[in-house]
Amino acid sequence: MRTLYSFLWYLLLPFLFLRLWLRGRKAPAYRLRWKERMAWGYRPGTLKNSLWVHAVSVGETLAAAPLIERLLADYPDVPLLVTTTTPTGSERVQALFGDRVTHVYCPWELPTALTRFMRAFDPQLVIVLETELWPNLCAAVKRHGAKLMLMNGRLSEKSYRGYGKLPRLIRPMMARFDALAVQTQVEAERYMALGAWPERVYPIGSVKFDMTLDTAVKQAASQLRVSFGDRPVWIAASTHPGEDAPVLAAHKTLRAQKPDALLILVPRHPERFDGVADQVREAGLSVARRSQQEPAADAAVYLADTMGELLMLFGACDVAFVGGSLVPVGGHNLLEPAAWEKPVLTGPHLHNFTAIAQLLDEAGGLSVVDSGEALGDKLQALMSDPDQCARQGQAAAAVVEANRGALEKGLELIAMEMNVGLRPSG
């Protein structure tokens, strides 16, 4: 079955390059570093006995950041390789870690490319994040003789059903994992049903609970909030196409009651920044762009058209709406605003964060809205009741504090469950 799967990947290769070229029209970085997608040009033995952490894009990279920092501290003699698949993920890796790690794109799911990659970077342990389940990658890791681990694994009901339709491809892949650190018991059972060895599956929680708000982030958030003045401020974070219009409608509803209210609008993808700015103006709202250092004092909307600042921006608001949830994307990280003690609002499409959403909802820290009208009504209610706003924010923060610890458990699995310590390079 994997032979057919690989053959299809080779057939699709021209279309993969075409897709990069087309995406490059709005995000030029997609037209760069194409050789890395094929693992061309690497010298065998570039790294020796490395530790490889694979994320996808910005969200997974930020979730992995505490883990990577600990690995750098705990294994200073082991070369650390961090891969992503998107330019925005690449930018985050380089901004967070600089030359402390080796960073390249993960190659496509082609056996020849993966073989070249393994020869170049010689991993002894490969840690893949969240949903990165790739049959050829997993096979290449084991063929190379490396250990394979899933960290912060999550598997929605929809994905589980999809994988279940391809047992001859998926079951051998799942059996190759030496350890699977997953977020919930429900997900543990799904991974086992797909072929993971039960004794290798560990429901340890989500490492996203182990995020920290360092002094620099707190200071930056405080300074930004002061620059906004004494006015109600809310954020619409990680919005996708189809969400900006209802968000702007909700903001107009809020401004009917609170005329000086400010919206921090954060589109998920940088190629949308200019278009969203135009959409704000077309809605009859004034906009200040962060990338151009425009002051927000007289603006109705503060467009956060920069990368890597979302965690800080949550600290500068009173109420947080997390996007990817009014449209069927599946939602984004609800824990970042919760850690700031902010009331968290979301749309109904939460299949990527079902367990976390349930915890926040049960604690009274989450409100689910299904439209721009409902979002506007909820904003009016919270902004008019500071005590309720504080209670909901405190409830959300309590959930974060009560569920910390997955990172330490994951590090124990890396060091102990693999049955061998990481070997020093040389």
Side-chain angles (χ1 to χ4, degrees):
M1 181 68 178
R2 195 163 57 82
T3 300
L4 176 59
Y5 168 80
S6 300
F7 178 69
L8 292 175
W9 266 91
Y10 283 111
L11 286 180
L12 289 171
L13 197 53
F15 300 98
L16 296 175
F17 282 113
L18 177 60
R19 182 171 180 267
L20 289 180
W21 181 259
L22 293 175
R23 295 196 70 175
R25 291 182 299 180
K26 292 184 177 180
Y30 277 102
R31 294 182 176 179
L32 304 176
R33 300 165 57 189
W34 282 12
K35 286 185 177 181
E36 293 179 26
R37 309 287 186 175
M38 296 294 294
W40 283 331
Y42 296 136
R43 177 176 55 84
T46 298
L47 297 181
K48 290 288 188 181
N49 293 330
S50 69
L51 172 56
W52 174 15
V53 178
H54 174 53
V56 182
S57 190
V58 174
E60 294 79 9
T61 300
L62 293 175
L67 170 67
I68 294 170
E69 289 288 359
R70 284 292 302 273
L71 292 173
L72 286 168
D74 293 351
Y75 305 102
D77 297 325
V78 178
L80 187 56
L81 171 69
V82 180
T83 60
T84 64
T85 61
T86 68
T88 51
S90 176
E91 291 169 5
R92 280 299 86 214
V93 171
Q94 293 167 348
L96 289 169
F97 307 111
D99 60 5
R100 293 185 296 157
V101 305
T102 298
H103 167 69
V104 294
Y105 286 137
C106 184
W108 282 325
E109 184 74 336
L110 305 166
T112 51
L114 289 162
T115 297
R116 287 191 293 270
F117 192 86
M118 295 294 167
R119 289 173 179 169
F121 296 105
D122 187 30
Q124 56 177 303
L125 170 63
V126 179
I127 302 172
V128 296
L129 268 293
E130 298 197 6
T131 60
E132 285 298 277
L133 303 177
W134 296 100
N136 281 339
L137 186 150
C138 294
V141 169
K142 302 311 294 181
R143 188 167 58 248
H144 185 73
K147 297 285 185 175
L148 178 63
M149 179 177 178
L150 177 68
M151 176 65 80
N152 213 42
R154 59 182 173 88
L155 189 63
S156 68
E157 176 65 26
K158 180 180 179 181
S159 295
Y160 168 65
R161 291 197 303 268
Y163 284 130
K165 295 176 182 178
L166 299 168
R168 292 178 60 193
L169 181 65
I170 300 304
R171 293 190 71 83
M173 175 187 70
M174 297 308 306
R176 290 187 171 99
F177 278 92
D178 295 281
L180 298 95
V182 305
Q183 297 185 21
T184 66
Q185 181 61 40
V186 170
E187 284 160 317
E189 292 169 0
R190 290 172 183 165
Y191 282 112
M192 288 186 285
L194 290 176
W197 292 25
E199 63 270 25
R200 297 179 179 179
V201 182
Y202 303 86
I204 66 171
S206 173
V207 299
K208 291 184 177 181
F209 286 105
D210 293 294
M211 59 171 295
T212 58
L213 302 174
D214 61 35
T215 301
V217 169
K218 290 180 179 180
Q219 289 177 345
S222 177
Q223 291 170 1
L224 181 60
R225 182 55 197 253
V226 169
S227 74
F228 291 155
D230 185 17
R231 58 197 298 201
V233 180
W234 70 289
I235 189 171
S238 299
T239 61
H240 287 253
E243 291 187 308
D244 303 296
V247 161
L248 293 173
H251 190 47
K252 286 184 174 182
T253 298
L254 176 61
R255 283 174 65 87
Q257 182 187 80
K258 307 277 186 182
D260 60 340
L262 175 68
L263 163 64
I264 305 172
L265 182 54
V266 192
R268 178 69 175 179
H269 298 110
E271 58 266 30
R272 299 185 58 238
F273 289 159
D274 290 341
V276 172
D278 292 339
Q279 193 171 350
V280 173
R281 297 186 188 98
E282 290 168 2
L285 295 166
S286 56
V287 60
R289 299 186 65 160
R290 180 165 176 78
S291 65
Q292 299 175 19
Q293 299 182 329
E294 296 173 347
D298 299 320
V301 177
Y302 188 63
L303 182 64
D305 52 350
T306 56
M307 297 298 295
E309 295 192 304
L310 183 56
L311 179 61
M312 180 276 292
L313 293 167
F314 280 125
C317 73
D318 301 307
V319 178
F321 168 78
V322 181
S325 57
L326 282 175
V327 292
V329 170
H332 292 294
N333 190 355
L334 303 170
L335 298 177
E336 290 184 342
W340 281 102
E341 295 190 18
K342 307 299 180 182
V344 184
L345 311 182
T346 179
H349 300 286
L350 291 167
H351 51 265
N352 289 334
F353 292 88
T354 303
I356 289 173
Q358 183 176 349
L359 288 172
L360 288 170
D361 185 45
E362 291 173 351
L366 181 70
S367 297
V368 180
V369 296
D370 59 5
S371 66
E373 181 181 0
L375 176 59
D377 291 343
K378 189 63 182 179
L379 287 168
Q380 283 187 335
L382 285 170
M383 293 296 194
S384 300
D385 190 345
D387 290 339
Q388 175 59 27
C389 199
R391 284 193 298 271
Q392 189 167 327
Q394 290 164 3
V399 171
V400 177
E401 290 302 316
N403 288 276
R404 293 185 183 276
L407 177 59
E408 292 298 329
K409 294 174 183 176
L411 288 165
E412 290 175 6
L413 286 175
I414 291 171
M416 299 172 60
E417 192 60 32
M418 297 304 183
N419 296 319
V420 292
L422 294 180
R423 303 185 302 276
S425 61

